[in-house]
């Protein structure tokens, strides 16, 4: 196989570059004309045929493009020693086959090339990407391990481990495969250690998936933990692992340290509060990235005195953050007070009047933001209809008396309409109000 300097798929690059320039500038007719000229000189070149197929596909001529692609594939897979097989030719064919929904044909081309040149990493990486697009987790794993054995590079081992994780989590692979992945990593670490923070993240995730939280914490606090150079990220991960191990006190300390460094981290506060209250439901795995999913957790089984004590700790800490931060652009201090009161109400000890007051203060400061309604939706759920009505009237009065700049006033008006719609009072009229429509 040869991909010589100045050649593209066995064709001088100076003959190919104008065609690519025409494709990039969407001059497809011009590109097709140049492609025909190229094919007259290289009629059996898989790369020249792949270029023509790409142009035809871009022009919407899918049947013609597929026919040309199949012709190129047939030539490529023949035993003609004059054929040049390189990643440029294969990747061009792969683009067209993928657009035409024939990924399997692109994969077969790469499989043939890898069989013909078994130790070529460039082709093997192309084949790995084909398997990724087809969700062939076992084949991904096999080709990644083969590349790792050839090159000994950390990235290929990580590809193999991630493929195993996907096989177990998204397919019918047994969890015993996790042990295989862990053994591969341990062997590599013993001989080469790890050099990238992403590799450490994969290792920690693998241990976490096996519920080996203690082992993961040990790795994180050992020499490999130095790969994670951002202290806040390291503290978050430590807190998460401690919480999953149900070691809530040190977990809360970790999250508290994160909040002292990043006082506007709402998700971290929810984890901190969950650890204080030993709320096991916050550990439930969820695919929803919305931090408010965490706030919906409420599986608290603390005694009344312990609950009150923990809530006092949370209140004092929030007050400390507010005093130190003194940044009016932070939304979290307002939301934190609301969440603490919400938790109290759910436990039968809160004050709905305080929720209304805190929502009012939040509206004054952040009511103009587009996210305002979604921010407070969870807290509205703990108010009865009477309190919701009081809140609406209070917000309407505040808006009437407000001297905000027009843009801010507009944002607040929109937020008020959203709240009315959310509560369901937008189109509600008093029963005794006469109809304004004559003849009704």
């Amino acid at each position: 196989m040869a991909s010589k300097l100045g050649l593209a798929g066995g064709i001088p690059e100076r003959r190919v570059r104008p065609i690519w320039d025409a494709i990039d500038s969407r001059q497809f007719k011009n590109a097709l004309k140049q492609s025909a000229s190229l094919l007259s000189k290289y009629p059996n070149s898989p790369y020249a045929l792949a270029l023509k197929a790409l142009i035809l596909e871009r022009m919407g001529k899918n049947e013609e493009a597929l026919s040309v692609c199949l012709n190129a594939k047939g030539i490529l897979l023949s035993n003609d020693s004059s054929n040049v097989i390189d990643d440029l030719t294969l990747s061009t064919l792969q683009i067209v086959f993928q657009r035409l929904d024939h990924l399997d044909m692109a994969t077969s081309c790469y499989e043939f090339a890898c069989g013909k040149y078994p130790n070529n990493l460039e082709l093997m990486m192309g084949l790995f990407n084909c398997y990724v697009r087809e969700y062939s987790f076992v084949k991904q794993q096999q080709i990644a391990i083969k590349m790792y054995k050839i090159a000994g590079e950390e990235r290929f081992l990580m590809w193999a481990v991630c493929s195993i994780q996907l096989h177990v989590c998204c397919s019918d692979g047994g969890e015993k495969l996790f042990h295989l992945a862990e053994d591969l990593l341990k062997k590599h670490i013993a001989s080469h250690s790890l050099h990238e923070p992403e590799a450490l993240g994969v290792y920690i995730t693998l241990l976490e998936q096996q519920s080996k939280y203690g082992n993961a914490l040990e790795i994180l606090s050992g020499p490999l933990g130095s790969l994670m150079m951002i202290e806040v990220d390291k503290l978050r991960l430590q807190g998460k692992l401690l919480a999953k191990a149900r070691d809530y006190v040190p977990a809360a300390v970790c999250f508290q340290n994160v909040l002292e460094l990043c006082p506007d981290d709402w998700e971290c506060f929810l984890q901190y509060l969950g650890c204080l209250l030993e709320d096991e439901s916050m550990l439930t795995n969820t695919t929803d990235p919305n931090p408010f999913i965490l706030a919906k957790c409420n599986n608290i089984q603390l005694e009344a005195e312990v609950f009150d004590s923990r809530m006092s700790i949370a209140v004092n800490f929030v007050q400390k953050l507010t005093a130190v931060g003194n940044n009016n652009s932070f939304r979290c201090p307002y939301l934190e007070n609301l969440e603490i009161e919400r938790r109290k109400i759910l436990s039968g000890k809160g004050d709905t009047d305080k929720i209304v007051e805190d929502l009012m203060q939040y509206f004054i400061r952040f009511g103009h933001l587009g996210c305002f309604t979604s921010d407070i939706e969870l807290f509205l759920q703990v108010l009865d209809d009477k309190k919701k009505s009081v809140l609406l009237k209070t917000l309407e009065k505040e808006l009437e008396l407000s001297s905000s700049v027009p843009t801010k006033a507009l944002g607040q008006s929109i937020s008020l309409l959203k709240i009315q719609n959310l509560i369901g009072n937008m189109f509600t009229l008093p029963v005794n109000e006469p109809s304004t429509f004559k003849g009704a």
Side-chain angles (χ1 to χ4, degrees):
M1 173 184 132
S3 190
K4 297 179 181 177
L5 187 64
L7 296 181
I11 302 173
E13 189 175 356
R14 60 186 173 79
R15 294 186 179 276
V16 176
R17 175 49 53 193
I19 299 177
W20 278 110
D21 290 341
I23 293 172
D24 291 340
S25 59
R26 302 185 64 81
Q27 298 176 13
F28 298 128
K29 290 184 179 180
N30 182 28
L32 189 60
K33 183 179 179 181
Q34 294 184 63
S35 173
S37 175
L38 184 68
L39 277 168
S40 67
K41 293 173 182 163
Y42 303 93
N44 294 319
S45 167
Y47 183 56
L49 288 167
L51 273 177
K52 181 180 179 181
L54 178 64
I55 297 164
L56 289 170
E57 189 279 326
R58 295 290 176 89
M59 296 175 74
K61 300 178 179 180
N62 291 353
E63 291 184 4
E64 291 181 53
L66 181 59
S67 176
V68 174
C69 258
L70 291 174
N71 186 16
K73 180 189 174 188
I75 296 173
L76 195 68
L77 271 58
S78 68
N79 291 320
D80 190 345
S81 59
S82 64
N83 286 338
V84 175
I85 302 178
D86 63 357
D87 187 60
L88 185 58
T89 301
L90 293 169
S91 62
T92 306
L93 281 172
Q94 186 270 322
I95 290 170
V96 183
F97 277 132
Q98 183 178 358
R99 287 176 176 270
L100 298 177
D101 199 23
H102 287 284
L103 270 175
D104 56 320
M105 294 184 181
T107 303
S108 65
C109 290
Y110 270 103
E111 286 174 337
F112 175 82
C114 288
K116 193 171 183 179
Y117 306 101
N119 293 326
N120 186 283
L121 286 176
E122 189 177 47
L123 295 179
M124 293 169 77
M125 285 190 280
L127 180 57
F128 177 84
N129 288 331
C130 285
Y131 289 148
V132 168
R133 294 184 182 97
E134 292 181 347
Y135 305 99
S136 299
F137 303 129
V138 175
K139 291 181 178 180
Q140 286 176 220
Q141 170 197 335
Q142 292 170 345
I143 195 72
I145 289 177
K146 188 175 180 181
M147 287 189 285
Y148 173 65
K149 288 180 178 178
I150 292 172
E153 293 183 23
E154 185 177 281
R155 57 172 174 158
F156 296 134
L157 177 61
M158 294 305 114
W159 292 4
V161 172
C162 288
S163 298
I164 291 172
Q165 290 175 305
L166 287 168
H167 185 202
V168 175
C169 298
C170 304
S171 187
D172 57 352
E175 292 191 7
K176 290 181 179 179
L177 288 173
F178 281 148
H179 301 304
L180 169 63
E182 187 178 351
D183 289 341
L184 287 170
L185 277 168
K186 284 181 177 178
K187 186 176 179 180
H188 178 83
I189 291 169
S191 57
H192 299 90
S193 188
L194 294 177
H195 301 93
E196 298 294 334
E198 292 81 5
L200 175 63
V202 170
Y203 191 16
I204 295 293
T205 301
L206 182 63
L207 293 171
E208 189 179 346
Q209 287 172 317
Q210 300 176 80
S211 300
K212 296 182 178 180
Y213 307 121
N215 293 353
L217 286 163
E218 186 178 344
I219 295 293
L220 200 58
S221 58
L224 290 176
S226 60
L227 289 172
M228 192 169 286
M229 292 180 288
I230 301 176
E231 184 64 20
V232 169
D233 291 344
K234 191 173 182 179
L235 286 168
R236 281 196 188 97
L237 185 53
Q238 286 176 330
K240 176 185 174 184
L241 292 169
L242 286 165
K244 287 196 169 185
R246 289 173 171 76
D247 201 353
Y248 293 115
V249 174
V253 172
C254 286
F255 291 128
Q256 182 173 317
N257 291 336
V258 172
L259 287 166
E260 288 173 349
L261 296 170
C262 304
D264 206 33
D265 190 332
W266 171 236
E267 182 178 356
C268 183
F269 174 77
L270 294 176
Q271 292 169 325
Y272 163 73
L273 190 59
C275 287
L276 276 182
L277 301 178
E278 300 181 14
D279 185 358
E280 294 188 2
S281 59
M282 75 168 184
L283 304 176
T284 304
N285 290 327
T286 175
T287 56
D288 196 322
N290 188 350
F292 277 92
I293 296 298
L294 280 175
K296 292 182 180 179
C297 300
N298 193 50
N299 186 25
I300 302 167
Q301 299 178 355
L302 297 176
E303 295 181 359
E305 292 182 4
V306 177
F307 176 84
D308 292 341
S309 173
R310 301 285 174 85
M311 294 306 285
S312 296
I313 292 172
V315 170
N316 293 334
F317 179 61
V318 169
Q319 289 175 347
K320 176 185 173 183
L321 285 180
T322 306
V324 173
N326 196 24
N327 191 329
N328 287 330
S329 65
F330 288 169
R331 291 151 55 209
C332 278
Y334 295 85
L335 294 173
E336 287 163 359
N337 286 320
L338 282 163
E339 176 60 16
I340 289 171
E341 202 60 38
R342 186 186 77 89
R343 294 290 186 114
K344 289 181 179 179
I345 290 172
L346 291 176
S347 298
K349 300 183 178 184
D351 183 359
T352 54
D353 288 334
K354 190 173 189 312
I355 286 275
V356 172
E357 176 60 29
D358 288 345
L359 286 171
M360 178 65 191
Q361 295 302 318
Y362 192 62
F363 178 79
I364 293 172
R365 181 63 190 86
F366 299 106
H368 61 288
L369 298 180
C371 62
F372 174 81
T373 308
S374 59
D375 283 352
I376 69 165
E377 182 176 356
L378 187 67
F379 309 113
L380 292 175
Q381 294 174 11
V382 297
L383 299 179
D384 58 24
D385 291 341
K386 184 177 179 180
K387 291 297 180 183
K388 288 177 182 177
S389 178
V390 170
L391 174 64
L392 278 177
K393 290 178 181 178
T394 307
L395 295 180
E396 289 169 358
K397 184 176 180 181
E398 169 60 29
L399 191 58
E400 290 175 1
L401 300 175
S402 175
S403 58
S404 303
V405 295
T407 52
K408 186 174 180 179
L410 176 62
Q412 289 176 326
S413 299
I414 293 172
S415 293
L416 182 58
L417 288 172
K418 287 180 179 180
I419 296 171
Q420 289 173 330
N421 187 43
L422 184 66
I423 292 175
N425 288 357
M426 180 177 283
F427 302 108
T428 301
L429 293 174
V431 177
N432 59 351
E433 184 171 330
S435 172
T436 56
F437 298 99
K438 294 181 179 180

